[in-house]
Amino acid sequence: FGLKLQQRWHRKGNRQSHFEMLSRMAPRDVPAVRAVTVGVFRSLAGSQHRVQLMPQMIGHATRSQATVAPPASIPHRPETMKEAYGSEKVNMEELLAPSDPFINRHLGPSHADVDAMCKTIGVKDLTELISLTIPARVRSNLPLDLPDPRMGEAGALALLKTIVSKNVIAKNFIGMGYHGTHVPGVVGRNLLENPGWYTAYTPYQAEISQGRLESLVNYQTLVCELTGMEIANASLLDEGTAAAEAMAMVARTVNSKAKNQFFASADVHPQSLDVMRTRAHNFGMELVVGDHRTTDFSSMTKLCGALVQYPDTTGLFQDFSGVASALHKNGAHLVVAADPLALVAAKPPSEFGADIVVGSMQRFGVPMWFGGPSAAYMATSKKQVRRMPGRIIGESIDRHGNPAYRLTLQTREQHIRLEKATSNVCTAQVLLANMAGMYAVFHRKDGLQRIAKRVHGLAQLFAKEIGMLGIPLLTATDFFDTVAFASAPAKPAALVEALQAKQLNCRAINDTHVTVSFDETHLESDVKELVAALQTAGVGKAGAGNTTVEVDGELPAAFARTSPFLEQKIFNSIRSETEMMRYIHTLQLKDLALDKSMISLGSCTMKLNSVSSLAPCSWPEIANIHPFAPASNTKGYVEMLESLEQYLVSCTGFAACSLQPTSGASGEYAGLLVIREYLKSIGQGQRNVCIIPRSAHGTNPASAAMCGMTIKWIDDAKGMDLEEFKAMCEEHNDTLAALMVTYPSTRAFFEDNIQQICQIVHDNGGQVYMDGANMNAQLGLTSPEMIGSDVCHLNLHKTFSIPHGGGGPGLGPICVRAHLAPHLPNHNIVSPSSGGTLGAVSAAPWGQAGIACIPWMFCTMLGPKGVTDSARYAILNANYLKARLEPHYQIIATNANNKCSHEFIIDCSDLRRKAGIVEEDIAKRLQDYGFHAPSMSWPVPHSLMVEPTESEDKAELDRFCDAMISIREEIKKIEQGVWPPEDNPLKMAPHTQSEVCATEWTHPYSREEAAFPAPWLLKRGKFWPSTGRVDNALGDKKLKLRHEH
């Protein structure tokens, strides 16, 4: 991968010593690099010259290497050109080093900017700033154990390519909810790989999010039409967690105190059952798994609901109307997990009595990605809307009376219910939901029907061919894409292994049967190849059988869809790629993302998402691997994932890592469960009290509640009172399980006494969970281990550069101390090397593995210094903004040195009193200046939390400051009576192009003041909000959650 040999040695030495040295220098956790290192040496072993590899060839720098001297047998390395060649004209190392280092592309401020910013802050340099920001007792001086970044971006990409090329892209017939699919090129290029889509944030600011909000309504409409249900949410994390969420939703609906049993059919996908077992065990539910055909539901008096699969995991369609009737008579609910492509052709679950329908939209144009990410769905009746987890998009109107989309009922769950919440879902899979929705828009209703008919036709053809060979079928008719057949005389496992040797991956479902599942990527030739392989394996015999299977792509009448669906214009109007491209682009223009300006959302870390980090996501070796493919197919993936785990272990200082959690909230849930598992293992299972500061993220108490914990709140408005905290811990000495703490504090500073806080918890028998939301201020400067915590989650979609995607995907791995490592999440199908005693928390063994290459590239390209500088520059940028805005706004919650962490809080209370201006008014006015608002009213009421990240340069920071200062001057005009309190640029913000260009203008301020309040808007281009301020109250009262026409 373009590695260069830097210097030649002119003195001889021991070749074996060179070999041993190079082998030791190769990273222990990246075999690909070790292999290349050894290979290069061996190829040059016969040369008369000695060679030494540049550090970037090794791709790693370890702590031990920083302090251990090289072996005496290693020849002296010339340090200067004069020493090597008798000249000082050229530094050969600098001359021949790769010319594409990433660090300067990732960090915004230049060296000159840093000097100027430090001067504004009032410090000599970055070192002094960090010393005034982070308490000395928790500051780290050890370098992170990460790759050497001097290989550059191209070198890092080449290294990753070498690793993942060990994957085998076999023909997959495994199914189980994961299928090959063709991502439409127009969607892949213009949405998945488009920063206008993937760098956007969750659409809390509706006026600058109308594009993706419309796309999500397309998605919700699609799900409703396929399932036949009244409403759907804007996506969940995966099918397994969606099933678990449905179980919790049913329990809340029917009163789980009286009815705490939930039934799941044994024919549900096994990974979903695994996730549900974990959830039920810790949520006070009893999960009963059995045969729905023989179960007497009327006798189960404590039953609240049941889950079935449609078609089931063996591929069989079944009529569940009898199950639904029996459940409803018993006051219980029916949940159906359904394949959306099957629903294009099959009777929708609403027609046989389903109350909730869940599933995965992955096969609607989203790659398998070794298990994720993809968008799961949930659909139900309108009366359940306030109980349904996840985000929901609805329609309201703006102040001009025009239709406008918004997040509906957005605080109905954990942010309001806190410890009473039944779900901690705070995110979605927006980027993937948008891909799935666009897949349907692109193919149209008739195209989807053709795909479904063709897939079923392939399955019919296979069934007919093996039927002619005399191979018994589980069913000859009642299937969609999956055919189950008897493997005799071969054992299923042996047959599957034989097929795998031919790169044909199938599934053994029991001791007698094998299943084969087809998708839109398969061809008729694949059917023939598979049938031939079965004959070669000794299964079936030509002419030995007879079959009545017809290959016509039609489902049996008993299961065929007859009701109309997808009649809306959006699913029947776009025919050409040209129009599809324009539609996607039209929606993109309505949204403000990082491609337009800085997004300063506090606690959200909207940093650069580099192209080099994201590009591998589209590689076939990463995109087209099934999560349950045999280990021989996935060596490259596992190598990448396990090396990433080690990088995260280094960043946290802990001993082990699990990548399985699929979001930050999922990481909280997993981390707390690990604590509970550990406490049970040492005979302390009675410990269930979790102490949480009042400033915590809303997901903290929700996650604790999901784990069956009792929450105790402690006020930390002015920092944690040690005496009060100690007294609370001692009061619950026998039952204290955990403290959930965020560091630096959500109030934007590093607490001096964090180690004392953690020690108090330990002294009273508890464990410390650190919320990793603010890890961007810690990287390399301190660590969760140093402060005294035991487990933390990391938001890789914040700290480690995975894009937010408009509201997902995310990745929330957990890292733990050694004593907790044996209790990390495992999986019942593929056990990751980190797996312990805890059951699965996600449907796939490594969660959202497909985007793990992004943080891998982030760590590899930045290396120890670059990752640490990310934290330094994040702290620098925040303190610079604070210093510039301090004369104009009230800044709260800094440390004793008046320094903030990587973010800071502006208190708007005085503006509310003096001018009637609230934080929302400032947020909407910033849109007129071309900026997304900071986070509002959290963790302090009536506040704005600003986080600039390390990726913004001084010029952009100054534009943001100038906008905020200009807005403060506008507020003064309201205070002075120049503008009336109800008709001014803040209360009327944002201003749309149609309003500003209208003939009539009645406001007491000018059109120029409304739309062009800053000079750069003319120079850099004006972003126009596509709608006026949206009426939130109306949107919650009159729910319109889907397209009707």
Side-chain angles (χ1 to χ4, degrees):
F1 31 77
L3 298 178
K4 306 293 184 181
L5 294 176
Q6 183 189 5
Q7 297 177 344
R8 294 190 177 186
W9 302 105
H10 298 282
R11 58 180 79 173
K12 293 184 178 181
N14 184 282
R15 291 181 180 142
Q16 184 61 29
S17 297
H18 281 283
F19 180 80
E20 291 174 353
M21 176 191 70
L22 292 172
S23 296
R24 285 196 300 270
M25 291 176 71
R28 62 186 181 278
D29 297 309
V30 188
V33 188
R34 178 182 293 277
V36 171
T37 305
V38 174
V40 169
F41 178 83
R42 282 176 172 161
S43 68
L44 297 169
S47 170
Q48 61 181 351
H49 300 296
R50 303 283 74 77
V51 298
Q52 177 163 327
L53 297 180
M54 290 173 62
Q56 61 264 36
M57 298 179 189
I58 306 303
H60 208 61
T62 66
R63 294 177 183 172
S64 59
Q65 290 159 8
T67 57
V68 177
S73 60
I74 297 177
H76 169 65
R77 173 180 177 176
E79 293 297 332
T80 67
M81 290 308 301
K82 183 174 182 180
E83 186 178 355
Y85 297 103
S87 170
E88 288 186 339
K89 292 181 180 180
V90 178
N91 183 317
M92 189 66 76
E93 183 171 350
E94 292 182 5
L95 176 66
L96 299 183
S99 57
D100 60 344
F102 180 62
I103 185 169
N104 292 332
R105 299 298 185 187
H106 179 71
L107 302 176
S110 65
H111 294 304
D113 288 342
V114 172
D115 292 340
M117 293 163 71
C118 285
K119 185 176 181 180
T120 300
I121 295 169
V123 295
K124 180 178 65 176
D125 54 24
L126 257 177
T127 300
E128 182 182 2
L129 174 62
I130 299 304
S131 70
L132 294 173
T133 303
I134 303 177
R137 62 178 67 90
V138 297
R139 285 203 301 272
S140 173
N141 294 316
L142 292 173
L144 297 173
D145 189 0
L146 299 176
D148 188 317
R150 286 177 290 178
M151 69 179 83
E153 292 187 47
L157 283 166
L159 174 58
L160 182 59
K161 191 72 170 182
T162 300
I163 294 172
V164 299
S165 291
K166 297 175 185 178
N167 292 337
V168 176
I169 306 175
K171 292 178 181 177
N172 274 299
F173 304 90
I174 300 172
M176 297 177 71
Y178 299 93
H179 305 271
T181 183
H182 292 307
V183 181
V186 66
V187 176
R189 177 57 60 89
N190 295 293
L191 196 157
L192 173 63
E193 299 174 350
N194 184 343
W197 286 87
Y198 67 70
T199 68
Y201 186 64
T202 303
Y204 289 123
Q205 297 295 329
E207 298 83 1
I208 53 176
S209 308
Q210 289 296 298
R212 62 189 182 282
L213 287 170
E214 178 179 326
S215 182
L216 288 172
V217 174
N218 292 347
Y219 171 84
Q220 290 177 182
T221 305
L222 170 65
V223 172
C224 288
E225 292 290 305
L226 292 175
T227 61
M229 306 304 286
E230 293 177 325
I231 61 169
N233 64 15
S235 72
L236 290 171
L237 298 172
D238 59 41
E239 183 171 324
T241 54
E245 290 291 343
M247 175 177 65
M249 177 178 159
V250 167
R252 180 177 165 189
T253 301
V254 304
N255 184 0
S256 60
K257 292 181 180 179
K259 294 191 170 188
N260 65 345
Q261 282 185 335
F262 191 90
F263 177 89
S265 169
D267 292 331
V268 168
H269 290 320
Q271 69 270 23
S272 295
L273 294 176
D274 198 9
V275 174
M276 293 177 70
R277 285 189 184 97
T278 304
R279 182 74 171 267
H281 177 69
N282 295 280
F283 194 57
M285 293 291 296
E286 179 188 354
L287 182 66
V288 179
V289 179
D291 187 345
H292 63 270
R293 304 170 190 83
T294 59
T295 298
D296 180 9
F297 294 111
S298 63
S299 66
M300 301 176 71
T301 59
K302 294 186 176 181
L303 186 69
C304 64
L307 171 69
V308 295
Q309 192 93 36
Y310 181 74
D312 70 22
T313 196
T314 69
L316 187 67
F317 273 121
Q318 298 183 56
D319 181 0
F320 294 114
S321 55
V323 174
S325 177
L327 290 170
H328 293 158
K329 288 178 181 178
N330 199 19
H333 292 238
L334 175 63
V335 181
V336 178
D339 178 340
L341 189 61
L343 295 183
V344 172
K347 182 186 299 185
S350 62
E351 294 184 12
F352 55 74
D355 298 287
I356 302 173
V357 187
V358 298
S360 170
M361 297 297 291
Q362 178 268 314
R363 69 190 309 175
F364 271 52
V366 179
M368 288 184 288
W369 273 322
F370 202 40
S374 64
Y377 71 83
M378 177 181 283
T380 187
S381 59
K382 204 167 186 177
K383 65 182 180 181
Q384 295 279 32
V385 66
R386 292 183 180 274
R387 295 190 178 99
M388 183 166 61
R391 295 181 179 133
I392 308 171
I393 313 303
E395 184 180 304
S396 184
I397 60 172
D398 70 0
R399 69 179 177 87
H400 306 293
N402 298 318
Y405 298 110
R406 61 181 288 275
L407 279 171
T408 297
L409 303 172
Q410 57 185 278
T411 58
R412 69 192 183 283
E413 186 52 72
Q414 75 275 359
H415 297 294
I416 292 295
R417 293 177 58 80
L418 299 176
E419 69 270 27
K420 296 180 181 179
T422 57
S423 170
N424 69 348
V425 172
C426 69
T427 190
Q429 301 275 37
V430 168
L431 190 67
L432 301 319
N434 283 330
M435 288 180 69
M438 290 298 182
Y439 179 89
V441 171
F442 178 69
H443 284 294
R444 302 160 38 99
K445 173 186 174 180
D446 54 354
L448 294 177
Q449 289 175 316
R450 280 195 299 274
I451 293 170
K453 195 169 185 177
R454 178 179 175 275
V455 168
H456 182 49
L458 288 169
Q460 287 178 318
L461 177 61
F462 176 75
K464 181 176 182 178
E465 292 291 330
I466 66 172
M468 296 296 292
L469 297 177
I471 300 175
L473 301 174
L474 193 62
T475 176
T477 56
D478 298 344
F479 58 85
F480 171 61
D481 63 357
T482 301
V483 179
F485 61 91
S487 64
K491 294 289 186 182
L495 176 60
V496 166
E497 188 174 344
L499 294 173
Q500 288 171 355
K502 299 177 181 294
Q503 295 191 16
L504 302 169
N505 293 338
C506 304
R507 176 190 175 204
I509 57 170
N510 53 37
D511 293 335
T512 57
H513 285 76
V514 170
T515 59
V516 172
S517 184
F518 293 90
D519 57 55
E520 68 167 320
T521 67
H522 290 131
L523 304 172
E524 182 180 353
S525 58
D526 296 325
V527 174
K528 294 180 179 179
E529 182 181 0
L530 193 54
V531 172
L534 289 175
Q535 286 184 280
T536 302
V539 179
K541 185 178 179 181
N546 195 0
T547 180
T548 59
V549 176
E550 288 189 39
V551 184
D552 58 5
E554 300 292 338
L555 290 181
F559 298 105
R561 178 185 278 272
T562 57
S563 55
F565 73 113
L566 291 178
E567 300 293 323
Q568 291 82 0
K569 181 179 178 181
I570 190 60
F571 299 118
N572 295 280
S573 57
I574 295 179
R575 293 185 178 276
S576 69
E577 182 174 324
T578 303
E579 282 305 304
M580 188 69 191
M581 172 186 68
R582 289 171 181 162
Y583 177 63
I584 295 173
H585 186 64
T586 298
L587 296 188
Q588 177 194 333
L589 292 177
K590 297 179 180 182
D591 291 4
L592 192 151
L594 278 175
D595 63 329
K596 298 182 176 69
S597 62
M598 176 174 79
I599 298 179
S600 60
L601 283 156
S603 196
C604 298
T605 316
M606 300 294 292
K607 64 170 67 178
L608 169 71
N609 315 120
S610 73
V611 173
S612 290
S613 292
L614 272 66
C617 294
S618 297
W619 294 350
E621 301 93 335
I622 287 179
N624 298 334
I625 305 295
H626 194 286
F628 308 138
S632 59
N633 289 182
T634 64
K635 291 179 180 178
Y637 238 126
V638 172
E639 185 173 320
M640 176 191 73
L641 295 169
E642 291 182 350
S643 60
L644 174 60
E645 289 175 351
Q646 292 306 307
Y647 299 161
L648 301 182
V649 162
S650 174
C651 290
T652 59
F654 285 145
C657 172
S658 170
L659 292 173
Q660 193 174 118
T662 50
S663 70
S666 176
E668 292 174 13
Y669 169 64
L672 291 175
L673 287 183
V674 167
I675 289 175
R676 298 221 68 178
E677 284 289 303
Y678 165 72
L679 291 174
K680 290 174 186 175
S681 74
I682 61 171
Q684 296 286 307
Q686 84 284 357
R687 293 184 175 273
N688 69 341
V689 169
C690 184
I691 299 175
I692 302 178
R694 284 288 179 187
S695 66
H697 293 86
T699 54
N700 284 186
S703 297
M706 285 171 56
C707 296
M709 290 181 164
T710 300
I711 288 92
K712 299 294 180 182
W713 295 97
I714 187 165
D715 181 45
D716 64 333
K718 297 180 180 179
M720 193 86 77
D721 184 300
L722 279 185
E723 291 304 315
E724 180 186 355
F725 180 69
K726 185 177 181 181
M728 179 177 285
C729 290
E730 290 175 348
E731 178 186 353
H732 301 285
N733 178 271
D734 294 330
T735 56
L736 179 62
L739 163 71
M740 297 189 79
V741 64
T742 305
Y743 198 73
S745 164
T746 54
R747 295 180 181 272
F749 62 91
F750 289 87
E751 296 216 30
D752 291 330
N753 55 8
I754 185 64
Q755 290 176 320
Q756 293 170 269
I757 291 171
C758 293
Q759 188 58 51
I760 291 171
V761 175
H762 293 145
D763 290 343
N764 287 277
Q767 300 287 294
V768 178
Y769 180 98
M770 195 203 82
D771 185 320
N774 292 341
M775 190 69 191
N776 208 50
Q778 287 197 38
L779 293 172
L781 300 176
T782 182
S783 71
E785 185 273 338
M786 285 195 71
I787 71 170
S789 64
D790 300 286
V791 54
C792 75
H793 82 267
L794 301 174
N795 291 314
L796 301 192
H797 49 287
K798 296 182 182 181
T799 312
F800 291 84
S801 198
I802 292 176
H804 282 71
L811 195 54
I814 56 172
C815 295
V816 298
R817 289 186 186 269
H819 68 282
L820 298 179
H823 308 288
L824 286 172
N826 215 319
H827 200 277
N828 66 346
I829 298 175
V830 177
S831 179
S833 60
S834 63
T837 61
L838 182 63
V841 296
S842 303
W846 281 274
Q848 318 234 63
I851 52 175
C853 58
I854 302 171
W856 190 97
M857 285 291 295
F858 178 82
C859 293
T860 302
M861 292 191 298
L862 283 176
K865 184 178 185 301
V867 169
T868 305
D869 278 350
S870 293
R872 290 192 185 102
Y873 278 58
I875 292 171
L876 169 72
N877 285 0
N879 278 278
Y880 175 69
L881 289 186
K882 184 180 80 69
R884 279 210 60 193
L885 295 178
E886 217 158 16
H888 308 278
Y889 291 92
Q890 182 178 347
I891 311 296
I892 60 174
T894 56
N895 68 5
N897 300 316
N898 193 28
K899 297 296 179 285
C900 63
S901 58
H902 63 311
E903 58 193 5
F904 63 96
I905 301 170
I906 298 173
D907 188 352
C908 301
S909 300
D910 60 331
L911 305 179
R912 187 188 189 98
R913 291 190 299 269
K914 295 176 182 177
I917 294 298
V918 298
E919 60 277 5
E920 184 182 22
D921 298 325
I922 299 174
K924 302 306 181 187
R925 182 57 173 157
L926 274 169
Q927 296 175 14
D928 288 328
Y929 285 82
F931 284 107
H932 194 292
S935 298
M936 294 193 303
S937 298
W938 183 85
V940 178
H942 314 305
S943 70
L944 295 170
M945 178 184 273
V946 181
E947 180 186 356
T949 84
E950 70 272 19
S951 298
E952 301 297 342
D953 65 8
K954 183 175 179 294
E956 182 73 351
L957 299 176
D958 283 334
R959 280 188 289 272
F960 178 79
C961 287
D962 291 344
M964 288 293 291
I965 293 168
S966 176
I967 290 172
R968 184 65 186 92
E969 293 303 309
E970 292 173 348
I971 295 172
K972 286 182 180 178
K973 290 185 178 182
I974 301 171
E975 295 172 359
Q976 296 163 0
V978 176
W979 288 330
E982 297 304 324
D983 190 0
N984 56 68
L986 283 92
K987 288 295 183 183
M988 295 295 106
H991 298 84
T992 63
Q993 188 175 36
S994 59
E995 179 186 15
V996 172
C997 294
T999 302
E1000 185 178 10
W1001 183 262
T1002 60
H1003 300 297
Y1005 50 93
S1006 69
R1007 298 172 194 259
E1008 183 179 15
E1009 287 174 313
F1012 294 93
W1016 68 79
L1017 294 172
L1018 292 170
K1019 296 177 182 178
R1020 292 172 62 85
K1022 166 73 175 177
F1023 172 80
W1024 291 98
S1026 59
T1027 184
R1029 193 176 302 194
V1030 176
D1031 188 332
N1032 291 323
L1034 179 66
D1036 283 348
K1037 290 177 182 176
K1038 297 182 179 180
L1039 298 178
K1040 185 178 180 183
L1041 311 178
R1042 56 187 285 185
H1043 299 306
E1044 299 298 335
H1045 306 289

